[in-house]
Every structure is written in C-alpha cells, then in structure tokens.
C-alpha cells in the first residue's frame, strides 16, 4: 500500500486511497502516525453525495469530525491522483466541504459554518464548533504571545483541552495581534495531545470569534508556527455564511507499507 506523507503549513498527515478497501482506520492511524510522527491520518473513500469521502483520525487513533489543513491536503491528494478536478466536494463527518486548487501547492477549502457558538463559554474564553457535529475549539487571547512561550503555556493549554466547560474536549487556540490584519496563533490539539505546527479549523475559529466581536472585517492573515494561513469570511447579523481557509500544501515523502 502506498502512503503519502504530506503537510499543510506544517500540520502533517499520513494519507491513503482506501476506495474499495476494508481497513481498520483507527489502528492504521496509530501505526502510521508513529512511523512518521504525523498529527493525523486520512483515508479517501467513495461517496454518493460528494466527489469523495474523507475519513480523518487523530494520531491517538480517535476519529475527528474534520480538519482544515487536512481537508486542504486531501484536496491536493485527490487532484494529484486523478480522483477529483480543480474544484471538488469532500464529504466529512462535519458536513460537505468545498475545495479549490489555486496552484500546484496552494489550496483553499470552504469550511463548515459554526454549529455551536458561545463567546463567553468560560469567562473571556470563547467556544465554537465548525460544522454539525462540529470540530470543537476554545479561543483565548494571550497578549504578546511568542512561539518561545509554548512551554510556559503548556499546562494551561492541556488543562483547557480537558476543561468540563467543553464537553467534547477542545482544541485550544491562543492568539495575539501582530497588526490590524495579522494574528499569531498557537494551538494545543486534542487527539494529538500536544501543540501542532498549524491548525486550520483553529485559525478559522479564531477569526470567526474576532469577526463576531467586530475586530476584523472579511480577511485575516494567521501566522502559525509552521506557516501562514489566510482566512476569509462573509456574513451578516452575527451569522457566518462563508468561511474559507487558504494556505500551502507539501508532499514530503511516499511510503510503501
């Protein structure tokens, strides 16, 4: 079996074409992510409602509703392998995701709108889920955040990931402003149980929170440790109607398992 090791802004995945195969995806996620140190595992499957189906699993073998950078990477995988064209639809547990190829390495996806949204779930910490059932995110500002601060913030990130205020657990997104059009973000992810170099749904969730607070208009640059993502959104009356995530993808290595 051919396995593609790829990443989106440093968020890395082991990817296979599983169409027509009967496999234990959870066990494969554990095995393959240990092999490469990847954050997650993705399998392409057939779909009756989209161009293809995405099965997403975290490195610990748990199934995830969706993954923003994973969706961008799976769109490149699908295009490179002749599974879909430059514009495509992806069936995920969180709903249908639309993807677009912008160039050889650059892809964007239209993420699911928030299904759950609470700007003050735990004090000033916001909580939202993208999709239904959605990917859970906690969002909090950490003024002056630097990448070097991650060890000092680890205990707080881990505690919030399991906080009872977030019944599904949460990906914890800590951000700071760099300028009026750019934020820096650090995400402690459930299922990985550590920081990741980038989190697509986390970046988008943070921008949604800032938009709802009236702090951003339609577009924001999000600097993750592994690379830069761009989030574009539109909506009115406090309701998001379109949410796009754009950024780089990279093929790192191919494995024969």
């Amino acid at each position: 079996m051919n396995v593609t090791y790829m990443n989106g802004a440093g968020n890395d995945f082991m990817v296979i074409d599983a169409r027509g195969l009967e496999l234990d995806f959870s066990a494969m996620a554990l095995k393959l992510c240990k092999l490469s140190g990847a954050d997650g595992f993705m399998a392409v499957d057939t779909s009756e409602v989209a161009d293809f189906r995405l099965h997403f699993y975290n490195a610990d073998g748990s199934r995830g509703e969706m993954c923003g950078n994973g969706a961008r990477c799976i769109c490149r995988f699908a295009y490179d392998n002749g599974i879909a064209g430059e514009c495509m639809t992806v069936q995920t547990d969180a709903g249908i995701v639309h993807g677009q190829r912008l160039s050889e390495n650059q892809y964007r996806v239209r993420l699911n709108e928030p299904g759950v949204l609470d700007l003050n779930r735990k004090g000033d910490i916001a909580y939202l889920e993208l999709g239904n059932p959605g990917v859970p995110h906690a969002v909090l500002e950490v003024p002056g955040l630097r990448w070097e601060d991650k060890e000092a913030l680890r205990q707080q990130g881990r505690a919030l990931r399991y906080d009872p205020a977030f019944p599904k657990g949460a990906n914890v997104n800590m951000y700071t402003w760099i300028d009026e059009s750019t934020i820096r973000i650090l995400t402690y992810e459930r299922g990985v149980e550590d920081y990741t170099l980038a989190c697509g749904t986390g970046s988008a969730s943070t921008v949604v929170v800032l938009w709802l607070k009236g702090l951003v208009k339609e577009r924001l640059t999000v600097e993750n440790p592994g690379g830069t993502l761009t989030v574009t959104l539109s909506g009115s009356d406090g309701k998001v109607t379109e949410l796009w995530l754009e950024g780089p993808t990279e093929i790192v290595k191919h494995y024969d398992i």
Side-chain angles (χ1 to χ4, degrees):
M1 175 181 292
N2 183 266
V3 182
T4 300
Y5 178 39
M6 60 192 309
N7 78 73
N11 202 184
D12 52 351
F13 312 96
M14 298 291 271
V15 187
I16 65 169
D17 182 354
R19 292 175 298 169
L21 303 177
E22 294 289 337
L23 300 169
D24 183 339
F25 292 145
S26 179
M28 291 197 74
L30 285 166
K31 176 183 177 180
L32 295 179
C33 289
K34 285 179 181 177
L35 178 66
S36 63
D39 298 322
F41 164 79
M42 298 188 292
V44 170
D45 204 351
T46 56
S47 171
E48 295 182 356
V49 297
D51 291 317
F52 59 92
R53 178 82 162 92
L54 166 62
H55 300 285
F56 179 82
Y57 285 79
N58 297 301
D60 65 357
S62 62
R63 189 174 179 97
E65 297 87 352
M66 216 280 287
C67 174
N69 287 320
R72 293 191 310 99
C73 286
I74 209 71
C75 286
R76 176 172 180 177
F77 180 88
Y79 178 82
D80 287 352
N81 288 278
I83 299 169
E86 293 193 346
C87 293
M88 64 199 82
T89 53
V90 187
Q91 181 186 358
T92 77
D93 288 1
I96 300 294
V97 170
H98 297 261
Q100 294 180 357
R101 178 182 187 266
L102 303 177
S103 66
E104 180 181 1
N105 299 321
Q106 201 82 356
Y107 279 75
R108 74 171 188 160
V109 291
R110 180 178 175 179
L111 300 173
N112 310 104
E113 290 84 32
V116 176
L117 178 56
D118 184 348
L119 291 180
N120 301 104
R121 174 61 64 90
K122 184 179 174 66
D124 292 333
I125 301 175
Y127 176 78
L128 67 162
E129 297 181 14
L130 296 183
N132 185 22
V135 184
H137 286 280
V139 176
L140 65 151
E141 183 175 8
V142 179
L145 172 70
R146 305 171 303 162
W147 306 139
E148 306 92 278
D149 298 332
K150 68 178 187 178
E151 292 308 318
L153 293 166
R154 181 178 294 276
Q155 184 175 353
Q156 182 182 13
R158 184 184 294 119
L160 286 172
R161 178 261 182 268
Y162 288 103
D163 194 286
F166 316 121
K168 294 172 59 175
N171 299 292
V172 180
N173 306 282
M174 297 170 274
Y175 74 91
T176 190
W177 288 94
I178 295 176
D179 56 44
E180 63 180 12
S181 61
T182 311
I183 60 172
R184 176 180 296 130
I185 189 171
L186 183 63
T187 301
Y188 189 93
E189 288 203 37
R190 63 167 192 164
V192 179
E193 307 310 330
D194 202 349
Y195 295 111
T196 53
L197 290 177
C199 180
T201 53
S203 296
S205 294
T206 302
V207 175
V208 169
V209 168
L210 296 175
W211 179 77
L212 288 168
K213 291 182 175 180
L215 300 175
V216 62
K217 292 184 178 179
E218 297 177 347
R219 186 178 178 91
L220 197 65
T221 299
V222 184
E223 292 190 357
N224 288 262
T228 300
L229 299 170
T230 302
V231 177
T232 307
L233 60 74
S234 59
S236 61
D237 300 323
K239 181 176 176 59
V240 176
T241 54
E242 286 196 23
L243 182 62
W244 291 89
L245 174 71
E246 178 183 332
T249 65
E250 179 185 17
I251 305 295
V252 181
K253 184 177 180 180
H254 292 283
Y255 292 88
D256 285 318
I257 305 299

